[in-house]
Amino acid sequence: MIDAVEIFWTPAGVTMSSNETRALVDITDGDTPNIRMPVRMLSVDTPEVTARSDTRAAVIDQEFAQLAVWIEAGRAPISPALGEFLAPKLATERAGTLQFRQGKDASAFAKQNALARLTRPNGTTRSLFIRMDKSNPFDDHGRLLAYVAPNYSAAERRNLTNMERSTFNLDMVREGWAAPFVIYPAVPGEFDLPLLLEDAEAARSKSLGIWADPNTLLAYEYRSLERLFQITKKIVDGKDLSAAERFAWRERYCVDMRSRVLHGPEDYAGIPPAYRLWLWPRDVQEAVGRLNLVPDRSLVGA
């Protein structure tokens, strides 16, 4: 028998990705296993490679072109304004291929950039500096949410500018291979947020990376449109869907960082990509009070 205790705690926990057979790297000592795990870089979103092949990307080209037809015919559960904004990009018959190729280019840059910045002048490799999101360390896929950068020594940091010390997250935005994707409450600090916005606006104005093609779908748009296609196909096929099922393709509310105006999930198109702050529905009430947000008139009384 053990003595009675008065401390009770039930941790929420998270199921980590096994990463196939490579989860356990080695063991330092009896209580320190070293594991391999994925990191989702905070505040940025790069093009998707989930198509996996040019063949599947070509299928998505046709699916999205069909979605454009359904949108224009009023069959898709999307607002007229957002439909008008997105449909021309879908109708190109290359939206899936463009996303997949941009995703591969973004991945190639990320690998080359990490190798270059982690390699010291003497050829040895630096370790990583990782700053986690304390409010929510893991996403729903078990990935660590973090900012990632080379772990420079104190002596190195004294001789480096902020740009030279930047995170890999910011590098992706600066070179145009990622769009800003700031999700409350993981908002960059008062010194980091201006850097992100400036680099994002500069990359877009210079047509770098994904911004070189005016028909680019940002990754979060692409993922939403994949869901919208499946939902609309069910509607066209005559399936009776509830309101929740019809609008399950939408995920987040959007705040214009310049004005603090809170917009509905389909009202973000008029906000430049760099200035979009995203909110999960569960966080809207807290954010309105904490950030002194002003709901758009369309949300008042909704």
Side-chain angles (χ1 to χ4, degrees):
M1 292 287 293
I2 64 171
D3 293 338
V5 296
E6 297 295 331
I7 301 297
F8 300 97
W9 177 49
T10 303
V14 62
T15 300
M16 304 301 298
S17 168
S18 65
N19 209 0
E20 299 175 348
T21 60
R22 299 171 294 173
L24 180 63
V25 177
D26 57 30
I27 296 176
T28 301
D29 57 30
D31 60 8
T32 310
N34 299 307
I35 65 170
R36 177 187 175 106
M37 64 177 298
V39 176
R40 175 60 167 89
M41 295 200 300
L42 283 168
S43 299
V44 302
D45 204 15
T46 62
E48 294 288 349
V49 294
T50 48
R52 303 299 181 195
S53 69
D54 291 329
T55 301
R56 175 55 187 159
V59 172
I60 296 172
D61 291 340
Q62 298 308 310
E63 291 178 344
F64 277 10
Q66 179 60 67
L67 179 57
V69 173
W70 288 334
I71 289 173
E72 292 168 0
R75 306 294 302 276
I78 187 173
S79 67
L82 186 57
E84 183 178 351
F85 174 71
L86 294 172
K89 300 180 181 183
L90 300 172
T92 61
E93 298 189 4
R94 61 184 186 90
T97 295
L98 177 61
Q99 182 79 191
F100 182 54
R101 291 178 179 173
Q102 288 177 336
K104 291 195 293 184
D105 288 342
S107 179
F109 170 77
K111 293 173 183 176
Q112 173 273 322
N113 184 55
L115 177 63
R117 295 194 59 204
L118 289 175
T119 302
R120 296 187 180 95
N122 64 5
T124 59
T125 302
R126 296 183 177 90
S127 60
L128 287 175
F129 169 82
I130 296 178
R131 188 173 71 191
M132 298 166 45
D133 173 18
K134 294 181 180 179
S135 64
N136 185 26
F138 301 99
D139 70 4
D140 293 338
H141 303 289
R143 297 176 298 183
L144 181 69
L145 298 171
Y147 296 96
V148 185
N151 188 23
Y152 295 111
S153 67
E156 287 177 310
R157 291 196 297 271
R158 284 194 293 269
N159 296 311
L160 295 174
T161 65
N162 285 340
M163 179 177 292
E164 291 170 329
R165 292 169 51 186
S166 66
T167 62
F168 293 140
N169 313 49
L170 188 59
D171 289 343
M172 298 300 293
V173 170
R174 181 181 296 132
E175 296 301 320
W177 290 118
F181 194 41
V182 181
I183 302 177
Y184 178 89
V187 180
E190 59 182 313
F191 300 112
D192 296 324
L193 183 59
L195 290 175
L196 178 70
L197 302 185
E198 290 170 9
D199 284 348
E201 284 290 84
R204 192 161 73 109
S205 66
K206 296 175 184 177
S207 298
L208 299 179
I210 62 174
W211 308 112
D213 195 313
N215 289 312
T216 286
L217 289 169
L218 301 183
Y220 51 79
E221 293 174 325
Y222 177 85
R223 294 189 295 268
S224 293
L225 290 166
E226 283 189 307
R227 295 192 296 271
L228 180 59
F229 171 79
Q230 295 299 332
I231 291 169
T232 305
K233 187 175 186 300
K234 292 178 182 179
I235 294 172
V236 172
D237 289 343
K239 294 188 177 180
D240 186 21
L241 301 182
S242 66
E245 291 171 326
R246 290 169 64 89
F247 294 105
W249 64 275
R250 309 183 316 187
E251 289 188 321
R252 306 171 189 88
Y253 288 76
C254 189
V255 175
D256 187 334
M257 294 190 202
R258 302 167 302 176
S259 63
R260 298 200 311 276
V261 172
L262 172 66
H263 296 273
E266 296 184 56
D267 298 329
Y268 68 85
I271 306 170
Y275 299 102
R276 297 170 184 168
L277 169 63
W278 299 94
L279 303 177
W280 291 103
R282 63 177 180 266
D283 294 323
V284 168
Q285 185 173 357
E286 175 193 308
V288 167
R290 187 176 179 185
L291 302 179
N292 195 25
L293 304 180
V294 180
D296 180 75
R297 283 182 294 180
S298 65
L299 295 176
V300 176

